[in-house]
């Protein structure tokens, strides 16, 4: 399939000042449509609104999936993609879970590469900045019956981003959520599907109303085992061992999570993927053996946790400061992404020298 390129006549002006996260989008987008059992009409076109029938199934039954990846530009103008194929693999897993069509991953990879290169001037190069890449697939059949749509639209939008959290690497405060759950076994928590996020907002808002930044999720059955935080995976350092919840179906298999685990193992730091009991974590915070907590995700890379509230009590982690292991991982990961460090893992694809 060829990709038609329709260039815009009206380039937007670039944002000035702080970029924030997900606020600005470039001049073009990639889009293709699925009809009669195949993908077609692939094109890069001016960034523009979509036209959807109001009965489109994505609007009613949330048959939609997405991904989040980043492209980096260094001081010399080299452009790097970080583990984008992993995102496309995960997106195809999400598609299968929601009875949506998969796609030719190499074709989409090349399309995104083309889009990123076309939008090169939109990639910021300051430290901590990147071009965020948001592939999305939605069900477009105009029908209110609850069944898998026959037609779909796949699109990719990109835009410059700064630090995910307004306060940068300042440790966040989490509230352990004991009532609401993000995902249950057998549900869709292990996939990046749009409905998961609507269901998670209530707990996030409640946490914010109480002065916390985000909710920490527990498992749906026992409300006892930690799953994730906001839209990040989570790690705890207890007695020098790094613990992270095992992937058991209700946890999103993060690419940053997987990368962090690999770096930790390489550094001979013990990592355990297992059930993480929040009571044990609170106990460890109490007796001083919990030395670090951090989240991992494409948006923030590493997000240190300085405090968490559980059952009416607040626990401070590492004096509210970012810990050594979190710092090391942040430095390593962002260093590989930006080209400061050699990429011995082949995570990076240099698309412009
Ligand atoms: C995207 C996401 C993550 C992080 O995944 P990465 O691949 O590291 O960006 C973690 N949890 C949830 C719920 C997510 O949506």
């Amino acid at each position: 399939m060829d990709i038609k390129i329709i260039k815009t006549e009206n380039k937007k002006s670039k944002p000035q000042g702080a970029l924030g996260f997900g606020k600005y989008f470039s001049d073009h987008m990639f889009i293709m449509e699925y009809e009669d059992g195949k993908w077609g009409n692939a094109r890069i076109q001016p960034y523009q609104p979509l036209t959807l029938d109001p009965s489109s199934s994505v609007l009613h039954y949330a048959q939609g999936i997405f991904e989040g990846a980043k492209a980096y530009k260094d001081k010399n103008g080299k452009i790097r993609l970080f583990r984008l194929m992993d995102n496309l693999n995960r997106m195809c897993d999400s598609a299968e879970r929601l009875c949506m069509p998969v796609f030719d991953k190499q074709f989409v990879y090349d399309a995104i590469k083309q889009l990123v290169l076309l939008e090169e001037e939109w990639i910021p190069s300051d430290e901590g900045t990147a071009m965020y890449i948001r592939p999305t697939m939605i069900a477009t059949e105009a029908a209110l019956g609850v069944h898998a749509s026959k037609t779909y639209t796949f699109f990719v939008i990109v835009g410059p981003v700064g630090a995910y959290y307004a306060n940068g690497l300042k440790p966040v405060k989490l509230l352990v959520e004991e009532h609401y759950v993000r995902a249950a076994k057998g549900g869709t928590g292990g996939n990046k599907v749009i409905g998961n996020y609507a269901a998670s907002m209530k707990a996030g808002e409640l946490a914010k109303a109480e002065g916390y930044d985000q909710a920490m999720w527990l498992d749906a059955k026992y409300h006892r085992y930690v799953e994730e935080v906001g839209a990040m995976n989570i790690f705890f350092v207890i007695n020098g061992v790094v613990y992270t919840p095992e992937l058991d179906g209700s946890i999103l298999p993060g690419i940053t999570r997987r990368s962090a685990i690999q770096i930790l193992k390489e550094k001979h730091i013990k990592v355990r993927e297992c059930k993480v009991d929040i009571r044990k974590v609170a106990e460890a915070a109490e007796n001083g053996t919990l030395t670090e907590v951090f989240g991992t995700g494409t948006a923030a890379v590493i997000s240190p946790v300085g405090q968490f509230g559980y059952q009416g009590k607040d626990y401070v982690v590492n004096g509210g400061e970012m810990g050594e292991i979190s710092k090391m991982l942040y430095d390593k990961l962002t260093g590989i992404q930006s080209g400061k460090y050699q990429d011995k893992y082949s995570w990076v694809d240099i698309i412009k020298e």
Side-chain angles (χ1 to χ4, degrees):
M1 189 177 9
D2 282 336
I3 300 176
K4 198 163 125 195
I5 297 182
I6 310 142
K7 286 199 184 160
T8 183
E9 312 259 285
N10 305 298
K11 285 196 178 178
K12 300 180 224 178
S13 51
K14 307 286 183 297
Q16 304 292 322
L19 290 168
F21 182 84
K23 293 198 297 188
Y24 303 103
F25 300 98
S26 73
D27 291 311
H28 299 87
M29 64 194 287
F30 170 77
I31 187 163
M32 63 179 179
E33 282 123 18
Y34 185 88
E35 213 179 8
D36 299 327
K38 59 181 191 307
W39 289 105
N41 200 13
R43 60 208 188 271
I44 286 173
Q45 66 180 25
Y47 186 98
Q48 60 191 267
L50 301 169
T51 305
L52 285 179
D53 192 290
S55 68
S56 293
S57 38
V58 65
L59 301 177
H60 302 270
Y61 308 124
Q63 205 191 0
I65 58 178
F66 70 97
E67 272 302 326
K70 277 177 174 174
Y72 302 83
K73 190 196 258 177
D74 68 19
K75 299 279 176 265
N76 305 317
K78 274 194 190 178
I79 301 172
R80 293 175 167 78
L81 291 173
F82 184 74
R83 306 196 79 167
L84 178 63
M85 193 50 99
D86 293 45
N87 290 94
L88 299 181
N89 283 325
R90 186 168 68 187
M91 193 170 189
C92 284
D93 292 344
S94 298
E96 302 238 359
R97 179 64 181 83
L98 292 201
C99 306
M100 301 171 85
V102 294
F103 47 81
D104 180 336
K105 288 177 265 198
Q106 193 58 53
F107 173 77
V108 169
Y109 190 99
D110 292 339
I112 293 175
K113 197 163 135 179
Q114 265 195 61
L115 176 64
V116 169
L117 288 173
L118 176 69
E119 302 295 57
E120 184 187 340
E121 61 196 47
W122 283 90
I123 314 176
S125 60
D126 287 343
E127 206 176 320
T129 65
M131 172 181 270
Y132 187 72
I133 302 167
R134 170 54 63 92
T136 310
M137 194 201 298
I138 56 172
T140 54
E141 189 180 338
L144 289 184
V146 181
H147 57 78
S149 173
K150 289 187 186 64
T151 59
Y152 297 86
T153 294
F154 177 100
F155 61 88
V156 182
I157 52 177
V158 299
V161 296
Y164 185 67
Y165 289 107
N167 51 6
L169 277 177
K170 196 166 151 278
V172 294
K173 285 171 69 175
L174 303 179
L175 180 61
V176 177
E177 173 57 53
E178 293 183 82
H179 175 69
Y180 295 105
V181 296
R182 192 190 82 90
K185 306 277 176 285
T188 55
N191 301 104
K192 238 172 157 73
V193 313
I194 63 174
N196 289 349
Y197 303 85
S200 78
M201 284 171 193
K202 184 90 179 172
E205 291 303 309
L206 290 173
K208 280 179 196 126
E210 291 194 43
Y212 297 88
D213 297 297
Q214 263 301 344
M216 191 194 300
W217 299 106
L218 299 179
D219 76 282
K221 194 167 175 189
Y222 305 103
H223 300 276
R224 177 167 173 182
Y225 300 103
V226 180
E227 301 236 309
E228 299 198 47
V229 39
M232 286 191 291
N233 295 111
I234 188 158
F235 290 72
F236 301 87
V237 185
I238 302 173
N239 273 328
V241 178
V242 184
Y243 294 89
T244 192
E246 62 192 346
L247 300 178
D248 57 359
S250 53
I251 293 171
L252 201 284
I255 295 162
T256 320
R257 173 188 182 278
R258 201 181 328 143
S259 308
I261 291 173
Q262 202 168 331
I263 290 172
L264 289 167
K265 286 188 173 161
E266 190 115 333
K267 297 237 166 225
H268 304 293
I269 296 170
K270 286 205 181 83
V271 195
R272 300 262 183 280
E273 295 179 63
C274 57
K275 281 199 179 348
V276 179
D277 187 337
I278 187 63
R279 295 184 227 176
K280 296 244 169 77
V281 172
E283 227 175 81
E286 206 120 76
N287 68 26
T289 51
L290 175 74
T291 51
E292 287 182 54
V293 181
F294 57 90
T296 63
T298 294
V301 187
I302 299 290
S303 178
V305 176
Q307 190 178 326
F308 66 93
Y310 175 55
Q311 295 194 326
K313 204 172 156 188
D314 275 315
Y315 299 85
V316 173
V317 185
N318 196 35
E321 298 293 322
M322 187 169 188
E324 290 309 312
I325 291 178
S326 317
K327 274 190 200 150
M328 180 279 288
L329 284 173
Y330 182 80
D331 177 61
K332 268 279 166 208
L333 277 166
T334 55
I336 291 169
Q337 290 162 343
S338 66
K340 184 174 126 194
Y341 294 134
Q342 203 202 330
D343 165 37
K344 61 179 164 191
Y345 309 97
S346 301
W347 287 340
V348 168
D349 180 8
I350 301 176
I351 60 170
K352 190 185 170 202
E353 286 287 347

